[in-house]
Amino acid sequence: MEINKTENIPKERFHTFKVWGKMLPYIKPYRKWLLAILAAMLTDAFIAVAYTLIAGYVVDRFVTPRTHEGITVFAILYSGMVLVKTLCQIVLGSIAIKLEMYIGRDLKRDLFTHLQTLSFSYYNQTPVGTIVARALNDPARIAESIPWMTVDGIYCSVYIIVCLGAMLVINWQLGLLVLAVVPFIAAFTAYFEKHILKINRKARKINAEVTRHYNEGISGAKTSKTLVIEEKNLDGFKEVSGRMRRTSIKAVMLDAIYIPVIGFLTALAVSFIITGGGNMAMAGGISIGELTIFVNFALRIADPVGALAYQATRFVSTQANIERVTELLELRPQITDTPEVVEKYGTSFEPRRENWEPLEGDITFEDVTFMYPDGHENVLEHFDLEVPAGSTVAIVGETGAGKSTLVNLACRFFEPTGGRILIDGRDYRERSMLWLHTSIGYVLQTPHLFSGSVKDNIRYGRLDATDEEIEQAAKLVNAHDFIMRMEKGYDSDVGEGGGQLSTGEKQLISFARAVLANPRIFVLDEATASIDTKTEALIQEAISTLLEGRTSFLIAHRLSTIRKADMILVVRDGKIIQRGTHRELMEQGGYYADLYNKQFETESAEAVFNG
């Protein structure tokens, strides 16, 4: 079966109730509400049928004999039925709205929770817009469809079945005239379902692309303006929105053809009733009241048949949304803890911290071979490395050389495809990921801040930290002074993504956040590469204090910042080509020495140029 790697949706699968069965866990908690809807709709449908039967009774009992005798009782009965029908509609409307809200909430909550468990590789390979569309748009469509399809489906189905049954009982010949149209409706529906599902799958996929363009256009607005690529962005959006328009028109056209054809077949049944029933009434085969019942049934049945046809198209099109949501929910993270580890150490959401051993920070790469999940060749082969607790390892190389690979493996963001990695002498797969990750302080080149205050962002390092501890962490990384210059100090809002702060200020806050966590392993991923010289000086001053006694990995672009590292690994084309201290590597000569000397000359020239 061919799978679309981005969407993970089987291409040739047709509509099946098995797909809808995956929604049962979200429906079962509200089965009492569904039973209430069922009861209300059954009552409503039977009363609607009774209206028509009563109309025939009125003709034969009061109109034809021209009498009012007994009409008061009839009027009271009819008024009671109207009241019950109104109450049923109020009940089903309110319950259906609640179902829509609750099912939508449950779906979005489970999707959000599941997204937290997926591995880094998923986010590396999947556009943000695709994730957002799946997590927000698709659940909303499903939640809206389930209750209202249930309401209309039950009502229309019951009404049509009871109508046909009543017509067969009253006069089977006229009833068969109506039933003669049913096979044509069924065949036409079966033909159209396949095409409607196909086009709606395509529309859902393109809609994710539209969301991605919006997301990138908004989040990258500053970059677009500085590069003056607004026109290029617009052309890209025009192309994808054009495909969305064409696909949506095709979907609407299918509906536009399908529903009127069903209406035509229904009208054909009405013409059969009027013609055949009229002839029977003229011949005395049926009463005027019975003919009235048949004509009313034939006319009124058109709306339920049309509504049922519409819900059939909705049922099929919503399957595309369910496929996308369930494929995401069923997507398993590439890195997971074993059942034995979960039993002892717990999960990310329910940790058993009482069983966690202290982490010292000894890290050993033992005959490690590694290939990225979407790669085609080994990045590491039979690699060995000893990193004693408290030592500092620097990883250097040109941009794109693969410097982050070792760190990703050490942090268990990826796992070796061969060999093993030991933390404090034990394979780190024998302990939980959360145990390791809570002991890692990771500072990225491009820091990410969450919406909220400065204090809140630092507190993410340790949620139970006091205000005094937050302030102390900021002081350790030299962030306290600039924070206090802000209008509200630590309560100042950082804006979406930290948009109210400079890159250097965001980086200092991310350092404070990492320090607050008091990790045993520190990772600085080119943490000073994107900031100004003054801020870098502040950070470098703090780094020597922060790294003391901690196992540290420094991914560095500026080689002058890592001369004191206990070990330097030189990466080129994804391979480790040299290792040693700064002095040893300079004495060896080769790639590192050339890279260092070239960079030293460049920095010296810049210093002279800047005075």
Side-chain angles (χ1 to χ4, degrees):
M1 181 180 292
E2 184 182 358
I3 302 289
N4 181 312
K5 291 183 180 180
T6 301
E7 294 298 309
N8 299 308
I9 295 176
K11 288 185 176 179
E12 73 277 9
R13 186 170 64 196
F14 181 50
H15 154 66
T16 64
F17 284 100
K18 184 179 180 181
V19 176
W20 277 88
K22 295 178 180 180
M23 288 293 102
L24 287 178
Y26 296 96
I27 297 174
K28 282 182 178 179
Y30 310 108
R31 54 185 176 273
K32 291 182 179 179
W33 288 0
L34 285 172
L35 289 173
I37 286 180
L38 176 62
M41 292 313 302
L42 286 174
T43 304
D44 194 2
F46 276 108
I47 290 176
V49 172
Y51 281 169
T52 303
L53 295 175
I54 287 173
Y57 173 80
V58 168
V59 170
D60 286 344
R61 177 67 178 81
F62 300 110
V63 177
T64 301
R66 298 184 179 183
T67 179
H68 293 150
E69 185 179 350
I71 199 168
T72 302
V73 175
F74 165 78
I76 294 173
L77 177 63
Y78 186 84
S79 299
M81 291 171 61
V82 171
L83 178 61
V84 172
K85 184 175 175 64
T86 301
L87 291 174
C88 288
Q89 291 174 347
I90 292 172
V91 168
L92 69 90
S94 60
I95 293 177
I97 290 171
K98 287 182 179 179
L99 269 176
E100 180 181 343
M101 297 299 106
Y102 277 90
I103 292 174
R105 179 204 63 182
D106 295 348
L107 269 172
K108 291 175 183 176
R109 181 181 58 197
D110 282 2
L111 280 168
F112 186 85
T113 301
H114 184 64
L115 284 168
Q116 312 307 303
T117 70
L118 295 182
S119 305
F120 280 75
S121 56
Y122 174 76
Y123 295 97
N124 288 339
Q125 299 168 11
T126 311
V128 173
T130 299
I131 300 174
V132 171
R134 282 193 177 193
L136 294 181
N137 299 345
D138 291 326
R141 177 73 182 273
I142 295 168
E144 177 189 6
S145 298
I146 289 176
W148 297 109
M149 284 193 304
T150 302
V151 168
D152 287 348
I154 293 174
Y155 177 84
C156 295
S157 298
V158 170
Y159 185 86
I160 292 169
I161 291 171
V162 174
C163 276
L164 293 174
M167 284 190 281
L168 288 172
V169 170
I170 294 171
N171 190 292
W172 65 268
Q173 294 98 328
L174 286 179
L176 289 177
L177 284 177
V178 177
L179 284 175
V181 179
V182 172
F184 294 98
I185 294 176
F188 199 73
T189 298
Y191 174 79
F192 262 73
E193 271 190 345
K194 182 177 181 180
H195 295 282
I196 291 171
L197 177 57
K198 182 179 179 181
I199 200 69
N200 275 279
R201 279 177 177 161
K202 186 177 181 181
R204 298 281 73 76
K205 181 179 177 180
I206 298 174
N207 182 63
E209 292 186 50
V210 172
T211 305
R212 176 175 62 82
H213 275 269
Y214 265 114
N215 181 76
E216 292 178 352
I218 294 170
S219 61
K222 291 182 180 179
T223 303
S224 296
K225 290 183 179 298
T226 55
L227 295 175
V228 196
I229 58 172
E230 292 93 340
E231 186 175 356
K232 179 182 179 299
N233 290 345
L234 181 59
D235 289 340
F237 185 78
K238 283 181 177 179
E239 189 276 329
V240 71
S241 60
R243 282 192 286 124
M244 185 66 188
R245 174 183 59 82
R246 292 189 294 272
T247 305
S248 298
I249 288 175
K250 288 179 181 178
V252 172
M253 287 299 294
L254 286 174
D255 285 350
I257 295 171
Y258 174 68
I259 294 175
V261 169
I262 297 298
F264 167 76
L265 293 174
T266 305
L268 199 61
V270 173
S271 68
F272 290 163
I273 292 295
I274 293 174
T275 303
N279 290 332
M280 285 186 178
M282 294 290 290
I286 58 174
S287 68
I288 299 298
E290 290 173 336
L291 179 60
T292 301
I293 291 173
F294 268 91
V295 171
N296 282 335
F297 271 148
L299 291 172
R300 290 188 177 186
I301 206 173
D303 287 339
V305 169
L308 201 59
Y310 169 73
Q311 293 304 335
T313 64
R314 190 177 186 180
F315 183 88
V316 174
S317 65
T318 304
Q319 179 181 326
N321 301 95
I322 294 177
E323 287 173 348
R324 288 164 53 82
V325 167
T326 55
E327 288 289 346
L328 177 53
L329 286 171
E330 292 169 0
L331 185 64
R332 300 271 68 85
Q334 293 180 338
I335 300 174
T336 57
D337 290 325
T338 64
E340 294 78 15
V341 170
V342 171
E343 177 67 25
K344 181 177 180 180
Y345 296 100
T347 66
S348 296
F349 298 105
E350 296 179 351
R352 296 182 177 178
R353 297 179 184 271
E354 65 275 9
N355 295 332
W356 290 8
E357 299 90 349
L359 192 150
E360 299 299 328
D362 284 301
I363 302 176
T364 304
F365 287 73
E366 191 176 273
D367 195 31
V368 169
T369 297
F370 176 68
M371 178 191 295
Y372 279 103
D374 56 346
H376 302 288
E377 62 180 30
N378 290 331
V379 178
L380 292 176
E381 290 183 347
H382 307 294
F383 175 75
D384 293 290
L385 178 67
E386 290 276 352
V387 183
S391 60
T392 298
V393 176
I395 307 171
V396 302
E398 295 178 343
T399 301
K403 298 189 293 295
S404 298
T405 300
L406 280 174
V407 171
N408 287 335
L409 287 169
C411 295
R412 205 182 169 192
F413 299 151
F414 294 93
E415 289 181 346
T417 49
R420 59 180 187 159
I421 296 175
L422 311 179
I423 303 288
D424 296 341
R426 285 180 60 185
D427 190 325
Y428 65 3
R429 286 171 287 202
E430 296 177 6
R431 291 168 172 160
S432 73
M433 284 186 288
L434 187 63
W435 169 81
L436 175 59
H437 292 167
T438 52
S439 296
I440 295 174
Y442 206 118
V443 182
L444 297 166
Q445 177 180 351
T446 305
H448 178 81
L449 298 187
F450 300 92
S451 297
S453 67
V454 172
K455 184 190 300 180
D456 292 337
N457 272 276
I458 297 176
R459 183 174 273 128
Y460 277 116
R462 197 176 81 246
L463 296 177
D464 61 351
T466 64
D467 290 352
E468 290 74 20
E469 289 172 324
I470 290 172
E471 187 172 324
Q472 182 61 32
K475 288 179 178 178
L476 280 173
V477 300
N478 296 317
H480 178 73
D481 290 342
F482 96 80
I483 293 173
M484 294 307 296
R485 287 195 298 269
M486 298 177 72
E487 183 179 356
K488 296 182 180 179
Y490 284 85
D491 293 317
S492 300
D493 188 71
V494 301
E496 184 177 356
Q500 300 293 329
L501 307 176
S502 69
T503 302
E505 290 169 341
K506 287 191 288 185
Q507 193 64 288
L508 287 173
I509 289 177
S510 69
F511 262 92
R513 182 166 60 197
V515 169
L516 185 64
N518 192 26
R520 295 300 307 158
I521 300 172
F522 237 117
V523 178
L524 306 183
D525 189 351
E526 300 199 48
T528 62
S530 306
I531 57 181
D532 58 88
T533 307
K534 182 179 179 180
T535 306
E536 182 185 7
L538 291 174
I539 291 177
Q540 290 295 345
E541 182 182 330
I543 283 178
S544 58
T545 303
L546 299 178
L547 302 188
E548 188 174 346
R550 294 183 171 94
T551 305
S552 308
F553 290 90
L554 309 180
I555 300 176
H557 177 72
R558 299 175 185 174
L559 304 186
S560 58
T561 63
I562 48 90
R563 284 178 295 189
K564 296 181 180 179
D566 299 303
M567 180 183 295
I568 299 173
L569 302 176
V570 185
V571 181
R572 188 175 188 183
D573 298 326
K575 309 293 182 183
I576 305 233
I577 60 171
Q578 288 181 288
R579 69 170 76 184
T581 64
H582 173 73
R583 175 176 291 182
E584 290 170 346
L585 292 175
M586 291 300 291
E587 290 175 353
Q588 289 176 19
Y591 183 75
Y592 177 82
D594 292 342
L595 196 64
Y596 182 85
N597 289 329
K598 185 186 298 183
Q599 198 171 102
F600 179 77
E601 291 173 3
T602 302
E603 290 177 358
S604 298
E606 288 177 352
V608 171
F609 180 79
N610 294 326

